[in-house]
Amino acid sequence: MTLKIGVIGTGAIGRDHIRRVTKSLAGAEIIAVTDVNQQAAEAVIKEFKLNATLYKDDVDLIQDSRIEAVFITSWGQAHESSVLKAIEAKKFVFCEKPLATTAEGCMRIVEAEMAYGNPLVQVGFMRRYDSGYKKLKEAIDQNTIGEPLLMHCAHRNANVAERYSTDMAIHDTLIHEIDVLRWLINDDYVSAQVFYPRKTKHALPHLKDPQMVMLETESGVMINVEIFVNCTYGYDIQCEIVGEEGLLRLPDEAHVQVRKGGQIGKEIGMDWQERFAHAYDVEVQDFIDNVLDKGTVSGPTAWDGYIAAVTADACVKAQISGVKETIELAQCPDFYKKEKPAAKVVY
Amino acid sequence: MTLKIGVIGTGAIGRDHIRRVTKSLAGAEIIAVTDVNQQAAEAVIKEFKLNATLYKDDVDLIQDSRIEAVFITSWGQAHESSVLKAIEAKKFVFCEKPLATTAEGCMRIVEAEMAYGNPLVQVGFMRRYDSGYKKLKEAIDQNTIGEPLLMHCAHRNANVAERYSTDMAIHDTLIHEIDVLRWLINDDYVSAQVFYPRKTKHALPHLKDPQMVMLETESGVMINVEIFVNCTYGYDIQCEIVGEEGLLRLPDEAHVQVRKGGQIGKEIGMDWQERFAHAYDVEVQDFIDNVLDKGTVSGPTAWDGYIAAVTADACVKAQISGVKETIELAQCPDFYKKEKPAAKVVY
Amino acid sequence: MTLKIGVIGTGAIGRDHIRRVTKSLAGAEIIAVTDVNQQAAEAVIKEFKLNATLYKDDVDLIQDSRIEAVFITSWGQAHESSVLKAIEAKKFVFCEKPLATTAEGCMRIVEAEMAYGNPLVQVGFMRRYDSGYKKLKEAIDQNTIGEPLLMHCAHRNANVAERYSTDMAIHDTLIHEIDVLRWLINDDYVSAQVFYPRKTKHALPHLKDPQMVMLETESGVMINVEIFVNCTYGYDIQCEIVGEEGLLRLPDEAHVQVRKGGQIGKEIGMDWQERFAHAYDVEVQDFIDNVLDKGTVSGPTAWDGYIAAVTADACVKAQISGVKETIELAQCPDFYKKEKPAAKVVY
Amino acid sequence: MTLKIGVIGTGAIGRDHIRRVTKSLAGAEIIAVTDVNQQAAEAVIKEFKLNATLYKDDVDLIQDSRIEAVFITSWGQAHESSVLKAIEAKKFVFCEKPLATTAEGCMRIVEAEMAYGNPLVQVGFMRRYDSGYKKLKEAIDQNTIGEPLLMHCAHRNANVAERYSTDMAIHDTLIHEIDVLRWLINDDYVSAQVFYPRKTKHALPHLKDPQMVMLETESGVMINVEIFVNCTYGYDIQCEIVGEEGLLRLPDEAHVQVRKGGQIGKEIGMDWQERFAHAYDVEVQDFIDNVLDKGTVSGPTAWDGYIAAVTADACVKAQISGVKETIELAQCPDFYKKEKPAAKVVY
């Protein structure tokens, strides 16, 4: 039993998922691809020796009746339309972030999925599959530190390309924290505020870097996230949760300790793809397994994609206004409600 | 050659400094004490077998012509008056925080000291003598991480007594960060804002706990300090400085690693006095050495005491107003100006 | 293109490899299985919904002309015979340790493989695929610490089953260090000695536990390995290499840091399968990829299996004799010679 | 009340203790010094502005009736004679290691002290006063890890002077482990063996470096100590104790964490004096306090000095013989017996 997948978009992330499915994971096969750049798509077919049809666009690909699941890895602007077509065709969807570029677009997907009546869509927030974050989540759900009160986070890149703009700090960078932090603490955001510390000399004139985002949740948890995309020293993801009974800290990656020349040191990676390589594998394998074995999807939902969009919008607004912006979410439909874990006290 | 010290105030901290001078440090002797509670003062004389005169008040004690230095460890309200008297009598002063309970009071001391013409007063901000903070300072002054941009700090106590009130989070707790952080980065504050995260169930009704204070400096460094005085798990002081070229983190204390029962653990102290015990020793020995060997004082000055007072006032104002409060400092007199360290680039 | 695999032995490790190939890895399919316990083999077929033929024994399975690679995961006594049959049938072989239960048996396999003329056999020493060991190897090969001089290692299990005997400390436990340590430093052993420290009360009467094994290599590196299989606190693998210019230490696993109740702690796993789960995946994927893409095998060879057998024999002899036992290896045939990495000096 | 001290030997360590007593510690005064190099002694008097008599030799100094305690910091050959004279004169003695250069010499001191009838002599094994070792001792005495079974230790110096010889690895380096390890586990040694790993290129021809010493204790604890005095990278002291219920590890020193240039690092000191600076202070203050307040000495006894001498002799013998050498100690006199701590089970 092999899951038949069609891939819409064969750019960097599309190609990487094709490699993953073909060379690293079990149970799936890429049988069709499409890209606005047809030559690029063809090159990927060759590179991985895929036995795959090259379609001229997403419409044609989705119509291929052999296809059971669609990977949407085109550029963000195109996501909504492809997702809606896939839902209409009753295909399972793995859609990279963003689900849609607007909250309204996300809501249209939510409604389409609910109209269909069963979960079809998983959004590509891979951090939920990182072993560190999973262990944080587990510890919180087991009530290890009691009720969360504060979170201190940092998202640092060694550097970014010239095209990286101030709002991309929200849409491309913070977006991962937006999804994973509320998931960690089973909570939703109510406001966002953005602060600009002294700017690093390593940032180009058009870019505000670093930035400090402060998010508040319904239950009053206060979250600060440092975004620093020209920190020079490495790709560094920090997450600390302060609760009523203690504190949890996301571990640094395990690296060999070196004692040399008056220093005890270990490497810190420079590359986000390496940092989350295993999370990507687990994420996509989980998608394949759920579809194959249970005929459903798990993981981040269209609703999660909607919340990310609304929150990101408020953050961008806060970047401009300089004041605290309210985050107003629609009521979560029963369709998307997950039971909160029954907290059990663990010492 | 022994420094002759008179101690005003023999409560907890006064008694501890007497013990320190008598049992741990070189070069000084307690020859006089006074306290509003004369019996308490007498008990301390006995406890440490001091060869010391018991005076009825600070006026009498300061007049004792044998006394070269005065330790002011009475309650905060009494500090200003005793410091001014000691300056008038040309005695060296080691004054526990606060130097005075108002910015104006501190300024009166500043003016008295300048009128005298030479440094006489050291304020008891002991963190500058902690080996971790000293190494942070050294690294910053050597330009290890380039210009500082952000600081993430936490000041956590396991718990506090019932009398601890919301504003004490500033005057008794944050006050240490107020002094040490600007010292670390050779900068001054321009604004303060206070945020209230979800409250811990371990705090009494009258106390807001935790709190998050955000300070900005002249050069734009943004500092967040979590104050959490009922964190339950230990006395935990965190300080992280993010600069243009890297990051520095205050070390946790060195404790034995234990591997047992599925855990790798080490102790975290519950007690601030233990955490900074060595810093206190170094601080007071430094005071003694400077007075004895060089006839002057080093360390935190009356001006530092003034800045702490102004900043703390702004923070308390910000606790109440909920908005960003400006911190307006008088111009630093040449008398108190320290040369900034010449940054040398070090990799 | 899918690699067709037959599995000989569907016990714990066989079943786990079947699960791995079927549910986690890309590019291979289990099309045949056999086990002395035919019912067990049948159960595994059902569990993983394999489309696989159940053979009555290894002879029949190996004869299946569709099969390109054979996994030998039967009990150790049966390995040699199956490997030899598979080589005769020109099938690729992934053989769990031991390659054979005697050095002579291993040598027969070596000779059979050389007679065939191309590499067919990979031995299941998975530690070479663990990311920590790989980074140690990389650092050594890059000359990060100069020439290795000493290694301090520990192999600790929380506890072992009653049937675990003193010599199993060599054959089942030390065997992993025997392979991975010489691989790390590109060296071979010349002697072994075993010491018995005070015995833990948690070991049964028939078992000597802990033990300390001291190995010396051709170039004079001295290695001590503590074997402690009832250490109670966790599954803990330590490896430290002391070189002329510095020291390398295998990292502990990355686990969430918890600050709670006066302790800073993190979990240490109890389970070796979890500790090396990812290494197993990488190992078997590497076998599949090499066979599929390059028509060969990489990783631990039959010669490595031979050396492990000779070294283990010397260690068991040393367990009994109490003195230093010489390890005499045959000359390594050119067929198995690997070029030593060209050391480049890296600071 | 001030303890009057005479110092015999004003070389490096003598000068350092004089500085310590004069500039860092409470309760003592150096009132007399002597040294075979009288000019050196005079220089030290000037440097620290001591109000001290310069004596021509130890005989004269010890006769000074004002002197209550004698610090013996001359070269090792002269220790025994000075200690015996001091005991005869009923002075308290703080003697740097070695107590005497032979076991017989130590025994003569033991007998002299017992003849006097009360403890007079403390030997300068400062590690017992290091906070890390003290916490290890505390944990062991509280039964945190059950009965000790194994110890893994390392004593590494960045480099040594040309005059450092192979046997100094025992007398000057291992000697600290010899004292502190048996103290940690309340046990005595029964045998020693020395191994020579591959030699580092950084050692001079006459020096064997590194060395591995294996010690066994009465209760069967097996201890390996790596001595590596040209490790180049720093001064690094490691100590790990493996017990029936878990493991303890001496902490590395607390140093600022730096994240920079792809590395997470912290300094490791190069200097043993810095590493144990605080331990020296605590040690000598403890000597002063005990003599002043209780009229006795605590800390390492003459008997401990005797055991160190016997053990070191066996180790040097083992360096030459290459085989396991027995360590035969005289029966410990009641005079020196300490009660073993009552183990209490602590989780």
Side-chain angles (χ1 to χ4, degrees), chain B residues 216-232:
Chain B
E216 279 174 297
T217 73
E218 272 179 27
S219 66
V221 176
M222 186 158 289
I223 300 168
N224 54 69
V225 186
E226 175 199 325
I227 314 273
F228 188 8
V229 295
N230 289 287
C231 82
T232 74

CSV table of all heavy atoms in Angstrom, one decimal, chain B residues 216-232:
chain,number,residue,atom,x,y,z
B,216,GLU,N,14.6,50.7,28.7
B,216,GLU,CA,15.4,51.1,27.5
B,216,GLU,C,16.5,52.0,27.9
B,216,GLU,O,16.4,52.8,28.9
B,216,GLU,CB,14.5,51.8,26.5
B,216,GLU,CG,13.6,50.9,25.6
B,216,GLU,CD,12.7,51.8,24.8
B,216,GLU,OE1,11.9,52.5,25.4
B,216,GLU,OE2,12.8,51.7,23.6
B,217,THR,N,17.6,51.9,27.2
B,217,THR,CA,18.7,52.7,27.5
B,217,THR,C,19.0,53.8,26.4
B,217,THR,O,18.4,53.7,25.4
B,217,THR,CB,20.0,51.9,27.6
B,217,THR,OG1,20.4,51.5,26.3
B,217,THR,CG2,19.8,50.7,28.5
B,218,GLU,N,19.8,54.7,26.8
B,218,GLU,CA,20.2,55.8,25.9
B,218,GLU,C,20.6,55.3,24.5
B,218,GLU,O,20.2,55.9,23.5
B,218,GLU,CB,21.4,56.6,26.4
B,218,GLU,CG,21.0,57.7,27.3
B,218,GLU,CD,22.2,58.5,27.9
B,218,GLU,OE1,23.2,58.5,27.2
B,218,GLU,OE2,22.1,59.0,29.0
B,219,SER,N,21.4,54.3,24.5
B,219,SER,CA,21.8,53.8,23.2
B,219,SER,C,20.8,52.8,22.5
B,219,SER,O,21.1,52.3,21.5
B,219,SER,CB,23.2,53.1,23.3
B,219,SER,OG,23.1,52.0,24.1
B,220,GLY,N,19.7,52.6,23.1
B,220,GLY,CA,18.6,51.8,22.5
B,220,GLY,C,18.6,50.4,23.0
B,220,GLY,O,17.8,49.6,22.5
B,221,VAL,N,19.5,50.0,23.9
B,221,VAL,CA,19.4,48.6,24.4
B,221,VAL,C,18.1,48.4,25.1
B,221,VAL,O,17.6,49.2,25.8
B,221,VAL,CB,20.5,48.3,25.3
B,221,VAL,CG1,20.4,46.9,25.9
B,221,VAL,CG2,21.9,48.5,24.6
B,222,MET,N,17.4,47.3,24.7
B,222,MET,CA,16.1,47.0,25.3
B,222,MET,C,16.3,45.8,26.3
B,222,MET,O,16.9,44.8,25.9
B,222,MET,CB,15.2,46.6,24.2
B,222,MET,CG,13.8,46.3,24.7
B,222,MET,SD,12.6,46.5,23.4
B,222,MET,CE,12.7,48.3,23.1
B,223,ILE,N,15.9,46.0,27.5
B,223,ILE,CA,16.1,45.1,28.6
B,223,ILE,C,14.8,44.6,29.1
B,223,ILE,O,13.9,45.4,29.5
B,223,ILE,CB,16.9,45.8,29.7
B,223,ILE,CG1,18.2,46.3,29.2
B,223,ILE,CG2,17.1,44.8,30.9
B,223,ILE,CD1,18.9,47.2,30.2
B,224,ASN,N,14.6,43.3,29.2
B,224,ASN,CA,13.4,42.8,29.9
B,224,ASN,C,13.9,42.0,31.1
B,224,ASN,O,14.8,41.2,31.0
B,224,ASN,CB,12.4,42.0,29.1
B,224,ASN,CG,13.1,40.9,28.3
B,224,ASN,OD1,13.5,39.9,28.9
B,224,ASN,ND2,13.2,41.0,27.0
B,225,VAL,N,13.3,42.3,32.2
B,225,VAL,CA,13.6,41.6,33.5
B,225,VAL,C,12.3,41.0,34.1
B,225,VAL,O,11.3,41.7,34.3
B,225,VAL,CB,14.2,42.6,34.5
B,225,VAL,CG1,14.6,41.8,35.8
B,225,VAL,CG2,15.3,43.4,34.0
B,226,GLU,N,12.3,39.7,34.2
B,226,GLU,CA,11.2,39.0,34.8
B,226,GLU,C,11.5,39.1,36.3
B,226,GLU,O,12.6,38.6,36.8
B,226,GLU,CB,11.2,37.6,34.3
B,226,GLU,CG,10.1,36.7,35.1
B,226,GLU,CD,10.4,35.3,34.9
B,226,GLU,OE1,10.8,34.8,33.8
B,226,GLU,OE2,10.1,34.5,35.9
B,227,ILE,N,10.5,39.6,37.1
B,227,ILE,CA,10.6,39.5,38.5
B,227,ILE,C,9.6,38.5,39.0
B,227,ILE,O,8.4,38.6,38.7
B,227,ILE,CB,10.2,40.8,39.2
B,227,ILE,CG1,10.9,42.0,38.5
B,227,ILE,CG2,10.5,40.8,40.7
B,227,ILE,CD1,12.2,42.3,39.0
B,228,PHE,N,10.0,37.5,39.7
B,228,PHE,CA,9.1,36.4,40.0
B,228,PHE,C,9.5,35.9,41.4
B,228,PHE,O,10.5,35.1,41.5
B,228,PHE,CB,9.1,35.3,39.0
B,228,PHE,CG,8.1,34.2,39.2
B,228,PHE,CD1,7.0,34.3,40.1
B,228,PHE,CD2,8.1,33.1,38.4
B,228,PHE,CE1,6.1,33.3,40.2
B,228,PHE,CE2,7.2,32.1,38.5
B,228,PHE,CZ,6.2,32.2,39.4
B,229,VAL,N,8.8,36.4,42.4
B,229,VAL,CA,9.3,36.2,43.8
B,229,VAL,C,8.7,35.0,44.5
B,229,VAL,O,8.9,34.8,45.7
B,229,VAL,CB,9.2,37.5,44.6
B,229,VAL,CG1,10.2,38.5,44.0
B,229,VAL,CG2,7.8,38.0,44.7
B,230,ASN,N,7.8,34.3,43.8
B,230,ASN,CA,7.2,33.1,44.4
B,230,ASN,C,7.4,31.9,43.4
B,230,ASN,O,6.4,31.2,43.1
B,230,ASN,CB,5.7,33.3,44.7
B,230,ASN,CG,5.5,34.2,45.9
B,230,ASN,OD1,5.7,33.8,47.0
B,230,ASN,ND2,5.1,35.4,45.6
B,231,CYS,N,8.5,31.9,42.8
B,231,CYS,CA,8.7,30.9,41.7
B,231,CYS,C,8.8,29.5,42.2
B,231,CYS,O,8.7,28.5,41.5
B,231,CYS,CB,9.9,31.2,40.8
B,231,CYS,SG,11.5,30.6,41.5
B,232,THR,N,8.9,29.3,43.5
B,232,THR,CA,8.9,28.1,44.3
B,232,THR,C,10.2,27.2,44.1
B,232,THR,O,10.6,26.5,45.0
B,232,THR,CB,7.7,27.1,44.0
B,232,THR,OG1,7.8,26.5,42.7
B,232,THR,CG2,6.4,27.9,44.1
